Coordinates of all heavy atoms in Angstrom, one line a residue:
M27 N 147.5 -29.9 88.7 CA 147.4 -30.3 90.1 C 148.1 -31.8 90.2 O 147.5 -32.8 89.6 CB 146.0 -30.5 90.5 CG 145.8 -30.9 92.0 SD 144.0 -31.0 92.4 CE 143.6 -29.2 92.3
S28 N 149.2 -31.9 90.8 CA 149.9 -33.2 90.9 C 149.6 -34.0 92.1 O 149.2 -33.3 93.2 CB 151.4 -33.0 90.8 OG 151.9 -32.3 91.9
L29 N 149.8 -35.2 92.2 CA 149.5 -36.0 93.4 C 150.6 -35.6 94.5 O 150.2 -35.4 95.6 CB 149.8 -37.5 93.0 CG 148.7 -38.2 92.2 CD1 149.0 -39.6 91.9 CD2 147.4 -38.1 93.0
L30 N 151.8 -35.3 94.1 CA 152.8 -34.8 95.0 C 152.3 -33.5 95.6 O 152.3 -33.4 96.9 CB 154.1 -34.7 94.4 CG 155.2 -34.2 95.3 CD1 155.4 -35.2 96.4 CD2 156.6 -34.1 94.6
G31 N 151.9 -32.6 94.9 CA 151.4 -31.4 95.4 C 150.2 -31.6 96.3 O 150.1 -30.9 97.4
R32 N 149.2 -32.4 95.9 CA 148.2 -32.6 96.8 C 148.6 -33.2 98.2 O 148.1 -32.9 99.2 CB 147.1 -33.6 96.2 CG 146.4 -32.9 95.0 CD 145.5 -31.9 95.5 NE 144.3 -32.5 96.2 CZ 143.4 -31.8 96.9 NH1 143.5 -30.5 97.0 NH2 142.4 -32.4 97.4
A33 N 149.6 -34.2 98.1 CA 150.1 -34.8 99.4 C 150.7 -33.6 100.3 O 150.5 -33.6 101.5 CB 151.1 -35.8 99.1
K34 N 151.4 -32.7 99.6 CA 151.9 -31.6 100.5 C 150.8 -30.7 101.0 O 150.8 -30.3 102.1 CB 152.9 -30.8 99.6 CG 154.2 -31.5 99.3 CD 155.1 -30.6 98.6 CE 156.5 -31.2 98.3 NZ 157.4 -30.3 97.7
C35 N 149.8 -30.4 100.2 CA 148.7 -29.7 100.6 C 148.0 -30.3 101.8 O 147.7 -29.6 102.7 CB 147.7 -29.4 99.5 SG 148.3 -28.4 98.1
L36 N 147.8 -31.6 101.8 CA 147.1 -32.3 102.9 C 147.9 -32.2 104.2 O 147.3 -32.2 105.2 CB 147.0 -33.8 102.5 CG 145.9 -34.0 101.4 CD1 145.9 -35.5 101.1 CD2 144.5 -33.6 101.9
A37 N 149.2 -32.0 104.0 CA 150.1 -31.8 105.2 C 150.2 -30.4 105.6 O 151.0 -29.9 106.3 CB 151.5 -32.4 105.0
N38 N 149.4 -29.5 104.9 CA 149.3 -28.0 105.2 C 150.7 -27.5 104.8 O 151.2 -26.6 105.5 CB 149.0 -27.7 106.6 CG 148.5 -26.2 106.7 OD1 148.2 -25.6 105.7 ND2 148.5 -25.7 107.9
H39 N 151.3 -28.0 103.6 CA 152.5 -27.4 103.2 C 152.4 -27.0 101.7 O 152.4 -27.8 100.8 CB 153.6 -28.5 103.3 CG 155.0 -27.8 103.0 ND1 155.7 -27.3 104.0 CD2 155.7 -27.8 101.8 CE1 157.0 -26.9 103.4 NE2 156.9 -27.2 102.1
H40 N 152.0 -25.7 101.5 CA 151.5 -25.3 100.2 C 152.6 -24.6 99.4 O 153.5 -24.2 100.0 CB 150.3 -24.5 100.3 CG 149.1 -25.1 101.0 ND1 148.2 -25.9 100.4 CD2 148.8 -25.1 102.3 CE1 147.3 -26.3 101.2 NE2 147.7 -25.8 102.5
E41 N 152.4 -24.5 98.1 CA 153.3 -23.7 97.2 C 152.5 -22.6 96.6 O 151.5 -22.9 95.9 CB 153.9 -24.6 96.2 CG 154.9 -25.7 96.8 CD 155.5 -26.4 95.7 OE1 156.1 -25.9 94.8 OE2 155.5 -27.7 95.8
P42 N 153.0 -21.3 96.7 CA 152.3 -20.3 96.1 C 152.3 -20.2 94.6 O 153.3 -20.6 94.0 CB 153.0 -19.0 96.7 CG 154.4 -19.5 96.9 CD 154.3 -20.9 97.3
D43 N 151.2 -19.7 94.0 CA 151.2 -19.4 92.6 C 151.8 -18.0 92.5 O 151.3 -17.0 93.0 CB 149.7 -19.4 92.1 CG 149.6 -18.9 90.7 OD1 150.6 -18.5 90.0 OD2 148.6 -19.3 90.1
R44 N 153.1 -17.9 91.9 CA 153.7 -16.7 91.9 C 153.1 -15.6 91.4 O 153.3 -14.3 91.7 CB 155.2 -16.9 91.2 CG 156.0 -17.9 91.9 CD 157.1 -18.4 90.9 NE 157.8 -17.3 90.4 CZ 158.8 -17.4 89.5 NH1 159.1 -18.5 89.0 NH2 159.5 -16.3 89.1
H45 N 152.1 -15.8 90.4 CA 151.4 -14.8 89.8 C 150.2 -14.2 90.6 O 149.6 -13.2 90.2 CB 150.9 -15.1 88.4 CG 151.9 -15.7 87.5 ND1 153.0 -14.8 87.0 CD2 152.3 -16.9 87.1 CE1 153.7 -15.5 86.2 NE2 153.4 -16.7 86.2
R46 N 150.0 -14.9 91.7 CA 148.8 -14.4 92.6 C 149.2 -14.1 93.9 O 148.3 -13.9 94.9 CB 147.8 -15.6 92.5 CG 147.2 -15.9 91.2 CD 146.2 -17.1 91.3 NE 145.0 -16.7 91.9 CZ 144.0 -17.6 92.2 NH1 144.1 -19.0 91.8 NH2 142.9 -17.2 92.8
V47 N 150.5 -13.9 94.2 CA 151.0 -13.6 95.5 C 151.1 -12.0 95.6 O 151.3 -11.2 94.6 CB 152.5 -14.1 95.6 CG1 153.1 -13.4 96.9 CG2 152.5 -15.6 95.7
H48 N 150.6 -11.6 96.7 CA 150.7 -10.1 96.9 C 151.1 -9.8 98.4 O 151.0 -10.5 99.3 CB 149.3 -9.5 96.6 CG 148.2 -10.1 97.5 ND1 147.6 -11.2 97.0 CD2 147.7 -9.8 98.6 CE1 146.6 -11.4 97.9 NE2 146.7 -10.6 98.9
Q49 N 151.7 -8.5 98.5 CA 152.2 -8.1 99.7 C 151.0 -7.4 100.5 O 150.3 -6.7 100.0 CB 153.3 -7.0 99.6 CG 154.0 -6.5 100.8 CD 154.8 -7.6 101.5 OE1 155.7 -8.1 100.8 NE2 154.7 -7.7 102.8
T50 N 151.0 -7.8 101.9 CA 150.0 -7.1 102.7 C 150.7 -6.4 103.8 O 151.9 -6.7 104.1 CB 148.9 -8.1 103.2 OG1 149.5 -8.8 104.3 CG2 148.4 -9.0 102.1
P51 N 150.1 -5.6 104.7 CA 150.8 -5.0 105.8 C 151.3 -6.1 106.8 O 152.1 -5.9 107.6 CB 149.7 -4.1 106.4 CG 148.8 -3.8 105.2 CD 148.7 -5.1 104.4
F52 N 150.7 -7.3 106.6 CA 151.0 -8.3 107.6 C 152.0 -9.3 107.1 O 152.5 -10.2 107.8 CB 149.8 -9.0 108.1 CG 148.7 -8.0 108.5 CD1 147.6 -7.7 107.8 CD2 148.8 -7.5 109.8 CE1 146.8 -6.7 108.2 CE2 147.8 -6.5 110.2 CZ 146.8 -6.2 109.4
G53 N 152.3 -9.3 105.8 CA 153.2 -10.2 105.2 C 152.7 -10.7 103.9 O 151.8 -10.0 103.3
M54 N 153.3 -11.7 103.2 CA 153.0 -12.1 102.0 C 151.7 -13.1 102.0 O 151.5 -14.0 102.9 CB 154.1 -12.9 101.3 CG 155.3 -12.1 101.1 SD 155.1 -10.7 99.9 CE 155.0 -11.6 98.4
S55 N 150.8 -12.9 101.0 CA 149.6 -13.6 101.0 C 149.4 -14.1 99.5 O 149.8 -13.4 98.5 CB 148.4 -12.8 101.3 OG 147.3 -13.5 101.3
G56 N 148.7 -15.2 99.3 CA 148.5 -15.6 98.0 C 147.7 -16.8 97.9 O 146.9 -17.2 98.9
H57 N 147.7 -17.6 96.9 CA 147.0 -18.7 96.7 C 147.8 -19.8 96.2 O 148.8 -19.8 95.5 CB 145.8 -18.6 95.5 CG 144.8 -17.6 96.0 ND1 144.8 -16.2 96.0 CD2 143.5 -17.9 96.4 CE1 143.8 -15.8 96.3 NE2 142.9 -16.7 96.6
C58 N 147.4 -21.1 96.7 CA 148.3 -22.4 96.4 C 148.1 -22.7 94.9 O 147.0 -22.7 94.4 CB 147.8 -23.5 97.3 SG 148.8 -24.9 97.0
R59 N 149.2 -23.0 94.3 CA 149.2 -23.4 92.8 C 148.6 -24.7 92.7 O 148.3 -25.1 91.5 CB 150.7 -23.3 92.3 CG 151.6 -24.2 93.1 CD 153.1 -24.0 92.7 NE 153.3 -24.5 91.3 CZ 154.5 -24.7 90.8 NH1 155.5 -24.1 91.4 NH2 154.6 -25.1 89.6
H60 N 148.5 -25.5 93.7 CA 148.1 -27.0 93.7 C 146.5 -27.0 93.9 O 145.8 -27.6 93.2 CB 148.8 -27.9 94.6 CG 150.3 -28.0 94.2 ND1 150.8 -28.4 93.0 CD2 151.4 -27.5 94.9 CE1 152.1 -28.3 93.0 NE2 152.5 -27.8 94.1
C61 N 146.2 -26.4 95.2 CA 144.8 -26.7 95.6 C 144.0 -25.4 95.6 O 142.8 -25.4 95.7 CB 144.8 -27.3 97.0 SG 145.4 -26.2 98.2
G62 N 144.6 -24.1 95.3 CA 144.0 -22.9 95.3 C 143.6 -22.3 96.5 O 142.9 -21.3 96.6
A63 N 144.0 -23.0 97.7 CA 143.6 -22.4 98.9 C 144.3 -21.0 99.2 O 145.4 -20.8 98.7 CB 144.0 -23.5 100.1
E64 N 143.7 -20.2 100.0 CA 144.3 -19.1 100.5 C 145.4 -19.4 101.4 O 145.2 -20.2 102.4 CB 143.4 -18.1 101.2 CG 142.5 -17.3 100.2 CD 141.8 -16.2 101.0 OE1 140.6 -16.5 101.5 OE2 142.2 -15.0 101.1
I65 N 146.6 -18.8 101.2 CA 147.8 -19.3 102.0 C 148.5 -18.1 102.3 O 148.5 -16.9 101.7 CB 148.7 -20.2 101.3 CG1 149.1 -19.7 99.9 CG2 148.1 -21.6 101.1 CD1 150.2 -20.5 99.2
V66 N 149.3 -18.0 103.5 CA 150.2 -16.9 104.0 C 151.5 -17.4 104.2 O 151.7 -18.6 104.4 CB 149.6 -16.2 105.2 CG1 148.3 -15.6 105.0 CG2 149.5 -17.3 106.3
R67 N 152.6 -16.5 104.1 CA 154.0 -17.0 104.2 C 154.4 -16.9 105.7 O 154.3 -15.8 106.2 CB 154.8 -16.0 103.3 CG 156.2 -16.4 103.2 CD 156.9 -15.5 102.2 NE 158.3 -15.8 102.0 CZ 159.4 -15.4 102.7 NH1 159.1 -14.7 103.7 NH2 160.5 -15.8 102.5
Y68 N 154.8 -17.9 106.2 CA 155.3 -18.0 107.6 C 156.8 -17.8 107.6 O 157.4 -17.4 108.5 CB 154.9 -19.3 108.3 CG 153.6 -19.3 108.8 CD1 152.4 -19.5 107.9 CD2 153.3 -19.1 110.1 CE1 151.2 -19.5 108.4 CE2 152.0 -19.1 110.6 CZ 150.9 -19.2 109.7 OH 149.7 -19.3 110.2
G69 N 157.5 -18.2 106.4 CA 158.9 -18.1 106.3 C 159.3 -18.6 105.0 O 158.5 -18.8 104.1
F70 N 160.7 -18.7 104.8 CA 161.2 -19.1 103.5 C 160.7 -20.4 103.1 O 160.9 -21.5 103.8 CB 162.8 -19.1 103.6 CG 163.4 -19.3 102.3 CD1 163.3 -18.3 101.2 CD2 164.0 -20.5 102.1 CE1 164.0 -18.6 100.0 CE2 164.6 -20.8 100.9 CZ 164.6 -19.8 99.8
H71 N 160.0 -20.6 102.0 CA 159.4 -21.8 101.5 C 158.5 -22.3 102.6 O 158.4 -23.6 102.6 CB 160.4 -22.7 101.1 CG 161.1 -22.4 99.8 ND1 161.9 -23.2 99.1 CD2 160.9 -21.3 99.0 CE1 162.3 -22.6 97.9 NE2 161.7 -21.5 97.8
D72 N 157.9 -21.5 103.4 CA 157.0 -22.1 104.4 C 155.6 -21.3 104.2 O 155.4 -20.3 104.9 CB 157.6 -21.9 105.8 CG 156.8 -22.4 106.9 OD1 155.7 -23.2 106.6 OD2 157.0 -22.2 108.1
W73 N 154.8 -21.9 103.5 CA 153.4 -21.4 103.2 C 152.3 -22.2 103.7 O 152.3 -23.4 103.5 CB 153.3 -21.3 101.7 CG 154.0 -20.1 101.0 CD1 155.4 -20.2 100.7 CD2 153.6 -18.8 100.7 NE1 155.7 -19.1 100.1 CE2 154.8 -18.2 100.1 CE3 152.4 -18.1 100.7 CZ2 154.7 -16.9 99.6 CZ3 152.3 -16.9 100.3 CH2 153.4 -16.2 99.7
R74 N 151.5 -21.7 104.5 CA 150.5 -22.5 105.2 C 149.1 -21.9 104.9 O 148.9 -20.6 104.6 CB 150.6 -22.5 106.5 CG 152.0 -23.1 106.9 CD 152.3 -23.1 108.4 NE 153.7 -23.1 108.8 CZ 154.1 -23.2 110.0 NH1 153.3 -23.0 111.1 NH2 155.4 -23.2 110.2
R75 N 148.1 -22.7 105.0 CA 146.7 -22.3 104.7 C 146.4 -21.1 105.6 O 146.6 -21.2 106.9 CB 145.7 -23.4 104.8 CG 144.3 -23.1 104.4 CD 143.5 -24.3 104.3 NE 142.2 -24.0 103.7 CZ 141.7 -24.7 102.6 NH1 142.4 -25.7 102.1 NH2 140.6 -24.4 102.1
G76 N 145.7 -20.1 105.2 CA 145.3 -19.0 106.1 C 145.0 -17.8 105.4 O 145.0 -17.8 104.1
S77 N 144.6 -16.7 106.0 CA 144.3 -15.5 105.4 C 144.6 -14.3 106.3 O 144.4 -14.5 107.5 CB 142.8 -15.4 105.0 OG 142.5 -14.2 104.5
F78 N 145.0 -13.2 105.9 CA 145.2 -12.0 106.7 C 143.9 -11.2 106.6 O 143.8 -10.1 107.4 CB 146.3 -11.2 106.1 CG 147.7 -11.8 106.4 CD1 148.5 -12.1 105.3 CD2 148.1 -12.1 107.6 CE1 149.8 -12.7 105.5 CE2 149.3 -12.7 107.8 CZ 150.2 -12.9 106.8
E79 N 143.0 -11.5 105.9 CA 141.7 -10.7 105.7 C 141.1 -10.3 107.1 O 140.6 -9.2 107.3 CB 140.8 -11.4 104.8 CG 141.1 -11.4 103.3 CD 140.1 -12.0 102.5 OE1 138.9 -12.2 103.0 OE2 140.3 -12.3 101.3
N80 N 140.9 -11.3 108.0 CA 140.3 -11.0 109.2 C 141.2 -10.1 110.1 O 140.6 -9.5 111.0 CB 140.1 -12.4 110.0 CG 139.0 -13.2 109.2 OD1 138.2 -12.7 108.5 ND2 139.1 -14.4 109.4
A81 N 142.5 -10.0 109.8 CA 143.4 -9.2 110.6 C 143.4 -7.7 110.2 O 143.9 -6.9 110.9 CB 144.8 -9.8 110.7
E82 N 142.9 -7.5 109.0 CA 143.0 -6.2 108.4 C 141.9 -5.3 108.8 O 140.7 -5.6 108.6 CB 142.9 -6.2 106.8 CG 144.2 -6.8 106.2 CD 144.2 -6.8 104.7 OE1 144.4 -5.7 104.1 OE2 143.9 -7.8 104.1
A83 N 142.2 -4.3 109.6 CA 141.1 -3.4 110.1 C 140.5 -2.5 108.9 O 141.3 -1.9 108.2 CB 141.7 -2.5 111.2
P84 N 139.2 -2.4 108.8 CA 138.6 -1.6 107.8 C 138.9 -0.2 108.0 O 138.9 0.3 109.3 CB 137.1 -1.9 107.9 CG 136.9 -2.4 109.3 CD 138.3 -3.1 109.6
Q85 N 139.2 0.6 106.9 CA 139.4 2.0 107.0 C 138.3 2.8 106.7 O 137.7 2.7 105.7 CB 140.7 2.3 106.3 CG 142.0 1.7 106.6 CD 142.5 2.2 107.9 OE1 142.5 3.3 108.3 NE2 142.9 1.2 108.7
Ligands
LIG112 ZN1 147.8 -26.4 98.5

């Protein structure tokens, strides 16, 4: 966990842990490599805190 990473995290600009990223029906989801927060992919190199869990309808 670097200071630079934390600064980005505080600005809600996260970087995914490549080993913990997974595809969902709604897009890419994963965890931040710096702060461990649940994050979702909004665009190229644009990961923000959030989750698709609430959007997934139970089958
Ligand atoms: Zn983060």
Side-chain angles (χ1 to χ4, degrees):
M27 184 180 293
S28 67
L29 285 175
L30 181 59
R32 288 291 288 171
K34 287 184 176 180
C35 290
L36 290 174
N38 199 18
H39 190 88
H40 302 273
E41 292 182 51
D43 180 340
R44 292 167 59 187
H45 301 291
R46 298 176 71 185
V47 169
H48 55 271
Q49 183 75 47
T50 78
F52 308 100
M54 297 297 288
S55 177
H57 289 81
C58 179
R59 60 189 288 187
H60 298 296
C61 68
E64 277 193 275
I65 53 176
V66 294
R67 187 178 184 273
Y68 280 75
F70 186 69
H71 283 188
D72 186 6
W73 289 78
R74 304 177 201 175
R75 190 176 191 121
S77 172
F78 289 121
E79 282 182 18
N80 294 333
E82 290 184 78
Q85 297 295 318

